[in-house]
């Protein structure tokens, strides 16, 4: 084959990839797939997960806004609120059916822990020096972080 033919074939393949990517990007309806992914994650982890907004893109990954995670642990309950939760992935492994998450961003996480005394079943403060207002069950612990980024 001559050089012109190889360039033509390469251009056609690149154009085909771009067209398929555009079609797939439009096929990913964030408002439909986002809640489905969140429900599957909730079922798999046993954590109540909610989000106000979803944006799902084949190139950009998954971004959720207004995220809340609630559940119980051995000594009490927790509630985690995030302004945004972003999963950035590598595109290449998707073609082989593998989701390779490159980065996870927890934007403005707020973590609330309420602990229970195992002896009395009462709630006690996770931080006895905390100046936060005590709730109806006793004390609680609040942690606010501007941004937490997990990168490889």
């Amino acid at each position: 084959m001559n050089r012109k033919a190889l360039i033509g074939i390469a251009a056609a393949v690149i154009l085909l990839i771009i067209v398929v990517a555009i079609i797939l990007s439009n096929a990913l309806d964030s408002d439909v797939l986002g809640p489905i992914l969140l429900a599957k994650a909730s079922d798999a982890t046993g954590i109540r997960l909610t989000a106000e907004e979803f944006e799902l893109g084949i190139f950009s990954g998954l971004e959720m806004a207004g995220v809340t995670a609630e559940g119980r642990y051995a000594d009490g309950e927790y509630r985690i609120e995030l302004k945004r939760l972003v999963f950035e992935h590598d595109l290449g492994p998707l073609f082989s059916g593998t989701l390779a998450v490159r980065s996870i961003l927890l934007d403005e996480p707020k973590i609330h822990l309420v602990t229970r005394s195992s002896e009395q079943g009462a709630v006690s403060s996770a931080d006895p020096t905390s100046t936060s207002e005590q709730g109806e069950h006793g004390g609680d612990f609040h942690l606010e972080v501007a941004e937490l980024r997990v990168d490889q």
Side-chain angles (χ1 to χ4, degrees), residues 101-114:
V101 176
R102 176 180 61 247
S103 169
I104 300 172
L105 169 65
L106 307 175
D107 189 12
E108 295 184 24
K110 295 178 183 173
I111 302 169
H112 309 276
L113 300 176
V114 178

PDB file of all heavy atoms in Angstrom, residues 101-114:
ATOM      1  N   VAL A 101     -10.512   3.718  37.565  1.00  0.00           N
ATOM      2  CA  VAL A 101     -10.673   5.057  38.130  1.00  0.00           C
ATOM      3  C   VAL A 101      -9.287   5.647  38.389  1.00  0.00           C
ATOM      4  O   VAL A 101      -8.484   5.074  39.107  1.00  0.00           O
ATOM      5  CB  VAL A 101     -11.502   5.022  39.426  1.00  0.00           C
ATOM      6  CG1 VAL A 101     -11.587   6.393  40.059  1.00  0.00           C
ATOM      7  CG2 VAL A 101     -12.893   4.475  39.141  1.00  0.00           C
ATOM      8  N   ARG A 102      -9.014   6.784  37.772  1.00  0.00           N
ATOM      9  CA  ARG A 102      -7.722   7.461  37.897  1.00  0.00           C
ATOM     10  C   ARG A 102      -7.705   8.369  39.113  1.00  0.00           C
ATOM     11  O   ARG A 102      -6.696   8.530  39.782  1.00  0.00           O
ATOM     12  CB  ARG A 102      -7.433   8.256  36.624  1.00  0.00           C
ATOM     13  CG  ARG A 102      -6.161   9.088  36.670  1.00  0.00           C
ATOM     14  CD  ARG A 102      -5.904   9.881  35.383  1.00  0.00           C
ATOM     15  NE  ARG A 102      -6.984  10.822  35.108  1.00  0.00           N
ATOM     16  CZ  ARG A 102      -7.829  10.743  34.080  1.00  0.00           C
ATOM     17  NH1 ARG A 102      -7.742   9.768  33.219  1.00  0.00           N
ATOM     18  NH2 ARG A 102      -8.773  11.640  33.893  1.00  0.00           N
ATOM     19  N   SER A 103      -8.841   8.989  39.418  1.00  0.00           N
ATOM     20  CA  SER A 103      -8.887  10.001  40.460  1.00  0.00           C
ATOM     21  C   SER A 103     -10.278  10.072  41.054  1.00  0.00           C
ATOM     22  O   SER A 103     -11.271   9.906  40.345  1.00  0.00           O
ATOM     23  CB  SER A 103      -8.488  11.348  39.845  1.00  0.00           C
ATOM     24  OG  SER A 103      -8.745  12.407  40.707  1.00  0.00           O
ATOM     25  N   ILE A 104     -10.337  10.308  42.365  1.00  0.00           N
ATOM     26  CA  ILE A 104     -11.602  10.524  43.057  1.00  0.00           C
ATOM     27  C   ILE A 104     -11.483  11.859  43.781  1.00  0.00           C
ATOM     28  O   ILE A 104     -10.532  12.085  44.518  1.00  0.00           O
ATOM     29  CB  ILE A 104     -11.897   9.409  44.077  1.00  0.00           C
ATOM     30  CG1 ILE A 104     -11.981   8.048  43.380  1.00  0.00           C
ATOM     31  CG2 ILE A 104     -13.183   9.708  44.843  1.00  0.00           C
ATOM     32  CD1 ILE A 104     -12.077   6.886  44.344  1.00  0.00           C
ATOM     33  N   LEU A 105     -12.447  12.723  43.549  1.00  0.00           N
ATOM     34  CA  LEU A 105     -12.456  14.025  44.202  1.00  0.00           C
ATOM     35  C   LEU A 105     -13.658  14.107  45.137  1.00  0.00           C
ATOM     36  O   LEU A 105     -14.792  13.889  44.714  1.00  0.00           O
ATOM     37  CB  LEU A 105     -12.541  15.153  43.172  1.00  0.00           C
ATOM     38  CG  LEU A 105     -12.823  16.553  43.719  1.00  0.00           C
ATOM     39  CD1 LEU A 105     -11.670  17.044  44.588  1.00  0.00           C
ATOM     40  CD2 LEU A 105     -13.097  17.527  42.597  1.00  0.00           C
ATOM     41  N   LEU A 106     -13.393  14.393  46.408  1.00  0.00           N
ATOM     42  CA  LEU A 106     -14.435  14.655  47.391  1.00  0.00           C
ATOM     43  C   LEU A 106     -14.379  16.151  47.661  1.00  0.00           C
ATOM     44  O   LEU A 106     -13.486  16.627  48.344  1.00  0.00           O
ATOM     45  CB  LEU A 106     -14.179  13.877  48.682  1.00  0.00           C
ATOM     46  CG  LEU A 106     -13.948  12.370  48.547  1.00  0.00           C
ATOM     47  CD1 LEU A 106     -13.581  11.774  49.891  1.00  0.00           C
ATOM     48  CD2 LEU A 106     -15.167  11.697  47.970  1.00  0.00           C
ATOM     49  N   ASP A 107     -15.315  16.886  47.097  1.00  0.00           N
ATOM     50  CA  ASP A 107     -15.302  18.343  47.179  1.00  0.00           C
ATOM     51  C   ASP A 107     -16.133  18.809  48.373  1.00  0.00           C
ATOM     52  O   ASP A 107     -17.324  18.517  48.456  1.00  0.00           O
ATOM     53  CB  ASP A 107     -15.847  18.923  45.870  1.00  0.00           C
ATOM     54  CG  ASP A 107     -15.678  20.424  45.761  1.00  0.00           C
ATOM     55  OD1 ASP A 107     -14.945  21.009  46.582  1.00  0.00           O
ATOM     56  OD2 ASP A 107     -16.291  21.018  44.855  1.00  0.00           O
ATOM     57  N   GLU A 108     -15.509  19.535  49.281  1.00  0.00           N
ATOM     58  CA  GLU A 108     -16.127  20.068  50.490  1.00  0.00           C
ATOM     59  C   GLU A 108     -16.868  19.001  51.297  1.00  0.00           C
ATOM     60  O   GLU A 108     -18.066  19.126  51.570  1.00  0.00           O
ATOM     61  CB  GLU A 108     -17.064  21.228  50.159  1.00  0.00           C
ATOM     62  CG  GLU A 108     -16.359  22.437  49.593  1.00  0.00           C
ATOM     63  CD  GLU A 108     -17.281  23.617  49.351  1.00  0.00           C
ATOM     64  OE1 GLU A 108     -18.349  23.706  50.000  1.00  0.00           O
ATOM     65  OE2 GLU A 108     -16.926  24.463  48.515  1.00  0.00           O
ATOM     66  N   PRO A 109     -16.144  17.947  51.713  1.00  0.00           N
ATOM     67  CA  PRO A 109     -16.814  16.914  52.518  1.00  0.00           C
ATOM     68  C   PRO A 109     -17.111  17.413  53.930  1.00  0.00           C
ATOM     69  O   PRO A 109     -16.314  18.124  54.531  1.00  0.00           O
ATOM     70  CB  PRO A 109     -15.803  15.774  52.544  1.00  0.00           C
ATOM     71  CG  PRO A 109     -14.488  16.419  52.326  1.00  0.00           C
ATOM     72  CD  PRO A 109     -14.746  17.621  51.456  1.00  0.00           C
ATOM     73  N   LYS A 110     -18.274  17.059  54.428  1.00  0.00           N
ATOM     74  CA  LYS A 110     -18.667  17.323  55.817  1.00  0.00           C
ATOM     75  C   LYS A 110     -19.055  15.984  56.414  1.00  0.00           C
ATOM     76  O   LYS A 110     -19.962  15.321  55.908  1.00  0.00           O
ATOM     77  CB  LYS A 110     -19.834  18.303  55.879  1.00  0.00           C
ATOM     78  CG  LYS A 110     -19.482  19.673  55.361  1.00  0.00           C
ATOM     79  CD  LYS A 110     -20.676  20.596  55.387  1.00  0.00           C
ATOM     80  CE  LYS A 110     -20.283  21.935  54.780  1.00  0.00           C
ATOM     81  NZ  LYS A 110     -21.426  22.813  54.622  1.00  0.00           N
ATOM     82  N   ILE A 111     -18.361  15.599  57.454  1.00  0.00           N
ATOM     83  CA  ILE A 111     -18.560  14.287  58.060  1.00  0.00           C
ATOM     84  C   ILE A 111     -19.133  14.472  59.459  1.00  0.00           C
ATOM     85  O   ILE A 111     -18.554  15.179  60.282  1.00  0.00           O
ATOM     86  CB  ILE A 111     -17.235  13.503  58.121  1.00  0.00           C
ATOM     87  CG1 ILE A 111     -16.672  13.357  56.698  1.00  0.00           C
ATOM     88  CG2 ILE A 111     -17.438  12.148  58.778  1.00  0.00           C
ATOM     89  CD1 ILE A 111     -15.264  12.840  56.643  1.00  0.00           C
ATOM     90  N   HIS A 112     -20.268  13.863  59.711  1.00  0.00           N
ATOM     91  CA  HIS A 112     -20.936  13.943  61.011  1.00  0.00           C
ATOM     92  C   HIS A 112     -20.986  12.538  61.600  1.00  0.00           C
ATOM     93  O   HIS A 112     -21.528  11.628  60.972  1.00  0.00           O
ATOM     94  CB  HIS A 112     -22.362  14.478  60.863  1.00  0.00           C
ATOM     95  CG  HIS A 112     -22.444  15.748  60.089  1.00  0.00           C
ATOM     96  ND1 HIS A 112     -22.232  16.976  60.667  1.00  0.00           N
ATOM     97  CD2 HIS A 112     -22.690  15.985  58.778  1.00  0.00           C
ATOM     98  CE1 HIS A 112     -22.350  17.921  59.740  1.00  0.00           C
ATOM     99  NE2 HIS A 112     -22.629  17.343  58.591  1.00  0.00           N
ATOM    100  N   LEU A 113     -20.419  12.375  62.786  1.00  0.00           N
ATOM    101  CA  LEU A 113     -20.441  11.092  63.481  1.00  0.00           C
ATOM    102  C   LEU A 113     -21.208  11.251  64.786  1.00  0.00           C
ATOM    103  O   LEU A 113     -20.989  12.203  65.530  1.00  0.00           O
ATOM    104  CB  LEU A 113     -19.026  10.616  63.807  1.00  0.00           C
ATOM    105  CG  LEU A 113     -18.068  10.406  62.640  1.00  0.00           C
ATOM    106  CD1 LEU A 113     -16.698  10.035  63.162  1.00  0.00           C
ATOM    107  CD2 LEU A 113     -18.602   9.322  61.722  1.00  0.00           C
ATOM    108  N   VAL A 114     -22.093  10.318  65.054  1.00  0.00           N
ATOM    109  CA  VAL A 114     -22.791  10.268  66.325  1.00  0.00           C
ATOM    110  C   VAL A 114     -22.461   8.908  66.920  1.00  0.00           C
ATOM    111  O   VAL A 114     -22.757   7.876  66.319  1.00  0.00           O
ATOM    112  CB  VAL A 114     -24.317  10.435  66.156  1.00  0.00           C
ATOM    113  CG1 VAL A 114     -25.020  10.318  67.501  1.00  0.00           C
ATOM    114  CG2 VAL A 114     -24.638  11.760  65.491  1.00  0.00           C
TER     115      VAL A 114
END
